[in-house]
Amino acid sequence: MKYINNRVLVVLLSLFSLQSMAVEYQPELATAVFPKAQLQPLIEKTYGEMSRRYTIFAEQFNYCQQKPKSEDCQKPYEEVKQRYTAAKALYDTVEMTLLPQFIFLESPKSSWQSLNIALVNLHYLDAALPVEQLTEAQLLPAVNQWLIAHELPTTDTLYLLQTLLIESDNLQQQ
């Protein structure tokens, strides 16, 4: 549960800080780093996960409207709600990051721990790296493995969009 709350916080902080970090759009570079043919299925999966979690939340919400004293309307309801909220925040951030002024934002250091855990969960890293020792150089080989597995070009820079898509992949596996 704490991990979900931390993930939501990282996604929301990223979303709110995007406006102040806009960078110059370079169409050729955008096409090279984020080819639409490979990117679109990942975005659709992110949307699909949000939709799936919304359906579960809506069913639970409707049930709890009819039987508010049910045991399923306490902690289980809150967990379902948080899972949907995390997926929605992630999708909304992915959508915003796709805007030309935000596509080249680099992943903030505050998101590296969450990325680290996602890469472990997805089996691109053997074990989580200690927070105080996390560097972009340590994460990039695993990120590049993930990019290759999803037919995206490898990179020397850790972009926020890549981090979000890896987070989305991890969310789908849960």
Side-chain angles (χ1 to χ4, degrees):
M1 188 64 69
K2 183 179 178 186
Y3 178 67
I4 290 173
N5 290 336
N6 287 343
R7 184 178 320 151
V8 171
L9 180 61
V10 168
V11 169
L12 290 176
L13 286 174
S14 297
L15 182 66
F16 291 125
S17 66
L18 286 177
Q19 302 252 333
S20 65
M21 300 185 324
V23 293
E24 182 182 343
Y25 182 65
Q26 300 169 24
E28 300 81 24
L29 183 58
T31 302
V33 175
F34 300 110
K36 287 187 182 188
Q38 289 81 8
L39 197 58
Q40 194 58 39
L42 297 171
I43 295 164
E44 289 172 6
K45 284 182 176 183
T46 302
Y47 178 81
E49 182 63 18
M50 178 193 67
S51 295
R52 184 183 76 79
R53 288 177 181 227
Y54 175 75
T55 300
I56 293 167
F57 167 66
E59 289 171 354
Q60 188 78 10
F61 177 83
N62 289 335
Y63 173 78
C64 291
Q65 289 295 305
Q66 296 172 8
K67 299 182 181 185
K69 296 189 188 255
S70 171
E71 203 173 285
D72 290 335
C73 296
Q74 306 304 317
K75 188 176 178 182
Y77 171 79
E78 287 302 319
E79 288 174 357
V80 167
K81 182 179 176 182
Q82 285 182 342
R83 287 185 189 119
Y84 163 66
T85 302
K88 173 139 178 50
L90 184 59
Y91 176 73
D92 289 347
T93 307
V94 166
E95 282 290 299
M96 182 175 265
T97 310
L98 289 169
L99 294 172
Q101 63 268 35
F102 301 133
I103 200 161
F104 294 116
L105 290 177
E106 292 185 21
S107 186
K109 289 181 181 183
S110 61
S111 69
W112 292 358
Q113 178 59 25
S114 182
L115 175 62
N116 183 22
I117 293 167
L119 290 167
V120 170
N121 291 344
L122 294 168
H123 307 291
Y124 290 97
L125 282 174
D126 293 331
L129 302 166
V131 177
E132 59 279 349
Q133 296 176 3
L134 267 179
T135 65
E136 185 177 37
Q138 290 175 310
L139 293 170
L140 273 172
V143 168
N144 281 327
Q145 287 177 15
W146 185 90
L147 291 170
I148 290 167
H150 291 84
E151 300 177 358
L152 290 165
T154 59
T155 184
D156 293 333
T157 303
L158 186 55
Y159 292 106
L160 179 59
L161 182 55
Q162 295 163 335
T163 300
L164 296 171
L165 292 173
I166 292 168
E167 283 284 336
S168 175
D169 193 15
N170 183 45
L171 207 60
Q172 293 165 38
Q173 302 299 319
Q174 297 175 357

